Amino acid sequence: MEDWAPPNHRRRGARRRRRRFAGLPLAMKAVVGVLVLAAFLTLADRWALLYAEQRAAGALQDRLGLSAAPEVEIDGFPFLTQLGDSRLDSVKLTVPDVAADRVSLAKVSATATGVRINGGPTSPRGARIPELHGEVLLAFDDLDRELGASQVRFRGEGRDRVLARGTLPVAGHDLRLRAQARIERDGARGIATRIGGMRLDIGDVATYRPGTRPSEGLHLSRRSAARLAHETAKAKALLSVPSIVRALRVPDAAVRAALSDDTKLAELTGSDRFARQAMGLNLIDVAAAHPELLKRFGLDPALLDGLSRLTRPVLVDRLSFGFRLPQPEHGDLWLRDVRVMKDGIRVRLVGSGLRVGKS
């Protein structure tokens, strides 16, 4: 008599499943087989696509000398069919931090259409790009970091203007900086900036504008000139220098009366005419002949020496952020439609007849 054993339900279940599959109609089995094959083919197509994108990104990084690999995205399905035909419907390319003169371009993004692969699908040697459209972004964050050294901030104002606001260290003093840059296209592949409205404020004492015009140089602020009416010592020191009196165009009789009578002094220095004339004095010229006078106004001689070397070309160079795209070896590449946006300067990029690698 055989020993009793519990029934094996798992084995019976497996036999029932095999009988069920065997009982399926032949057409249903064919459909299931086609679906499984399609899934494997799709997976193989996607793996081949990812491999091709990585290879293309590495090749572009080496050829263009980029610090980081670009992002390459090949559109169209299936990919293997396009590769077999040596063509790609559309390729999207994103390149971060492209070196351009003094600054880096935050992002260059472009889409190439109708790309033809040279050398066949198994050994591609290069590609021809008949048409390319994209955009160049010069971000304000990059300008703040690379030009402003965390002390100057760039922000847009209107369609073609950028404002620079912040502080600039000069001879150990942090001066408030204000400037305006107008953005314009420079030829087919360049962007130029025209810097204007530059001024450095030394507290509320004086303002420096680089240049040689009468309105430029170092001048007393309106508030500082108005305070002369209440600061007798400064006003008398100013009126005691004949060359300054001549520059102010104050009659000698009025000067003598003001130096001997504080009431007359207050009347003279408190007038609007005197304040305007005092603001017209170039303090850098005054410092050359009377350095001790400017100390009364709280101006450091070392600061004045530093400002005299901070000429307009020097300051323009520190704030300029123009760039130029390189000329491709084959085909043409140019810029269009320069716009100042909230996040930075955006420029439309167009290309035609481009080639990558060997033709």
Side-chain angles (χ1 to χ4, degrees):
M1 183 175 180
E2 296 181 358
D3 295 335
W4 180 87
N8 191 338
H9 298 289
R10 183 179 301 174
R11 184 178 302 172
R12 292 180 181 179
R15 286 198 298 268
R16 282 198 296 268
R17 285 194 294 270
R18 285 198 296 269
R19 287 196 297 268
R20 289 173 184 173
F21 184 78
L24 290 175
L26 182 60
M28 184 62 70
K29 294 179 182 179
V31 170
V32 173
V34 168
L35 292 176
V36 173
L37 179 60
F40 277 111
L41 289 177
T42 301
L43 183 62
D45 186 87
R46 295 300 93 184
W47 273 110
L49 174 64
L50 291 175
Y51 177 75
E53 290 175 343
Q54 293 177 357
R55 285 286 303 273
L60 286 173
Q61 181 181 3
D62 294 338
R63 181 169 295 276
L64 299 178
L66 303 174
S67 58
E71 298 177 10
V72 178
E73 182 180 350
I74 302 174
D75 291 337
F77 181 83
F79 166 70
L80 292 174
T81 302
Q82 298 181 72
L83 189 62
D85 196 27
S86 297
R87 62 164 181 82
L88 298 175
D89 295 336
S90 176
V91 179
K92 295 180 180 178
L93 178 68
T94 302
V95 185
D97 300 328
V98 178
D101 298 333
R102 297 184 58 211
V103 297
S104 297
L105 301 182
K107 182 184 292 185
V108 176
S109 56
T111 300
T113 55
V115 179
R116 303 297 299 182
I117 302 174
N118 301 317
T122 58
S123 57
R125 299 191 306 269
R128 289 173 292 169
I129 305 173
E131 189 174 358
L132 180 142
H133 295 274
E135 185 180 67
V136 176
L137 170 63
L138 185 59
F140 288 138
D141 289 342
D142 287 343
L143 293 180
D144 294 345
R145 182 181 64 251
E146 298 183 29
L147 294 183
S150 301
Q151 294 176 301
V152 178
R153 294 288 183 267
F154 294 86
R155 294 294 176 264
E157 184 184 57
R159 180 182 174 87
D160 61 350
R161 284 179 173 81
V162 174
L163 299 180
R165 298 287 186 269
T167 59
L168 186 67
V170 180
H173 299 265
D174 288 333
L175 309 185
R176 292 196 306 271
L177 168 70
R178 296 186 178 206
Q180 183 184 84
R182 184 168 183 175
I183 314 301
E184 55 189 12
R185 195 158 57 92
D186 182 16
R189 292 184 303 278
I191 295 299
T193 53
R194 289 196 296 171
I195 309 297
M198 293 180 292
R199 57 180 286 181
L200 292 167
D201 293 327
I202 307 172
D204 63 351
V205 176
T207 297
Y208 175 71
R209 294 181 176 87
T212 58
R213 298 176 181 175
S215 60
E216 297 170 334
L218 182 63
H219 299 270
L220 290 175
S221 67
R222 183 177 299 277
R223 179 177 296 182
S224 184
R227 282 203 300 259
L228 288 175
H230 308 286
E231 297 176 347
T232 304
K234 289 182 181 180
K236 286 185 175 181
L238 198 66
L239 294 174
S240 298
V241 180
S243 60
I244 295 179
V245 172
R246 289 194 296 270
L248 292 172
R249 298 179 183 179
V250 181
D252 292 339
V255 172
R256 288 192 298 268
L259 292 177
S260 60
D261 187 339
D262 289 348
T263 302
K264 295 291 185 182
L265 178 65
E267 292 176 357
L268 174 63
T269 56
S271 66
D272 292 338
R273 180 174 179 271
F274 183 86
R276 289 194 302 269
Q277 290 172 328
M279 291 172 60
L281 290 174
N282 191 340
L283 299 182
I284 291 181
D285 297 336
V286 174
H290 309 282
E292 73 287 348
L293 177 61
L294 295 183
K295 291 181 181 179
R296 289 181 173 270
F297 289 89
L299 295 173
D300 182 5
L303 174 59
L304 300 180
D305 184 60
L307 289 175
S308 65
R309 293 196 298 269
L310 193 61
T311 61
R312 182 179 180 84
V314 171
L315 193 53
V316 166
D317 182 67
R318 296 186 66 167
L319 297 176
S320 179
F321 47 86
F323 67 87
R324 180 168 295 276
L325 293 177
Q327 171 66 48
E329 296 182 4
H330 303 282
D332 202 1
L333 194 65
W334 64 94
L335 300 171
R336 289 181 177 174
D337 191 24
V338 182
R339 292 173 295 165
V340 176
M341 308 295 287
K342 184 178 180 180
D343 56 345
I345 302 166
R346 293 183 177 271
V347 191
R348 201 153 56 90
L349 179 67
V350 181
S352 64
L354 301 170
R355 297 181 187 178
V356 179
K358 298 180 180 180
S359 59

